[in-house]
Amino acid sequence: MVGTAPQPIVTDEWVPASWTEYVALLESVVPQDARCYFDADWMRVEMSPLGALHGRENSIISTLVVLYATLKGLRMVELTNTTFRKTGLQDAQPDIAFYVGQGFDLPPRDNQPIDVLTHGAPQLVIEIASTTLNDDLGKKRLLYERLGSAEYWVVDVQAAQVIAFEIADRRSGQVDESRVLPGLAMTTLETALERSQHEDDATITRWLLELFGRDT
């Protein structure tokens, strides 16, 4: 009996799939280094190579958020490329995610997707858009509305721009200043991204420490 070869998976675009089909693909043919999303019976698998531009902007934004939260005395946990799951409903793997504030428990120390129905959604999720800007602003924005996050940032690395959305009652609207990190203006993040084009990370971090220290 001749076996049937598995069909190649469609990547970097949304395709219709039930939750059962999605999970079966994750367990069988989706590479472990893929980034996977599911929402409203649609799935997306991203396999685009990530170069220095994506990685550097990811690091700059991560460092900035951690410094700001630390100096402001905010309780926070950062998670990178972590899957957040509402079983049967949503699956998301943002570039960076943060639990912020007093109302969360430390996530479990294992390699299973974080159960959002048990542990809650991260208050802040961030996508670094080097090749996926339209999707990050569109369908993923709807995904994070339904997942239950409080704020969603899209970092347009080509334009050195941060587009931030506050989410409430499963609706989102653009904001110029973070609500999750009170007082943090998007222009500060954009200045850091611009400086990263000609300055090293240590120089940018010293500037951020001085900038945030003046505000404490």
Side-chain angles (χ1 to χ4, degrees), residues 98-118:
F98 296 91
Y99 285 98
V100 183
Q102 298 302 317
F104 71 88
D105 297 325
L106 294 178
R109 292 179 59 82
D110 57 37
N111 283 323
Q112 299 303 309
I114 292 179
D115 184 348
V116 171
L117 295 176
T118 300

Side-chain angles (χ1 to χ4, degrees), residues 6-7 9 17-31 36 38 43 45 85 91:
Q7 295 297 312
I9 191 167
S18 68
W19 177 261
T20 301
E21 291 169 333
Y22 170 71
V23 172
L25 287 170
L26 292 186
E27 295 174 348
S28 59
V29 298
V30 174
C36 303
F38 181 90
M43 65 170 285
V45 176
R85 175 170 292 176
D91 225 27

Side-chain angles (χ1 to χ4, degrees), residues 80-146:
T80 302
N81 292 333
T82 299
T83 298
F84 299 91
R85 175 170 292 176
K86 281 186 180 179
T87 299
L89 298 172
Q90 283 92 36
D91 225 27
Q93 192 177 352
D95 288 303
I96 325 172
F98 296 91
Y99 285 98
V100 183
Q102 298 302 317
F104 71 88
D105 297 325
L106 294 178
R109 292 179 59 82
D110 57 37
N111 283 323
Q112 299 303 309
I114 292 179
D115 184 348
V116 171
L117 295 176
T118 300
H119 302 285
Q123 282 73 25
L124 173 61
V125 289
I126 303 171
E127 294 282 4
I128 310 297
S130 54
T131 60
T132 59
L133 180 61
N134 289 337
D135 185 69
D136 291 343
L137 290 173
K139 193 161 180 59
K140 284 183 192 171
R141 176 180 168 186
L142 298 176
L143 166 58
Y144 291 121
E145 289 177 5
R146 288 189 273 259

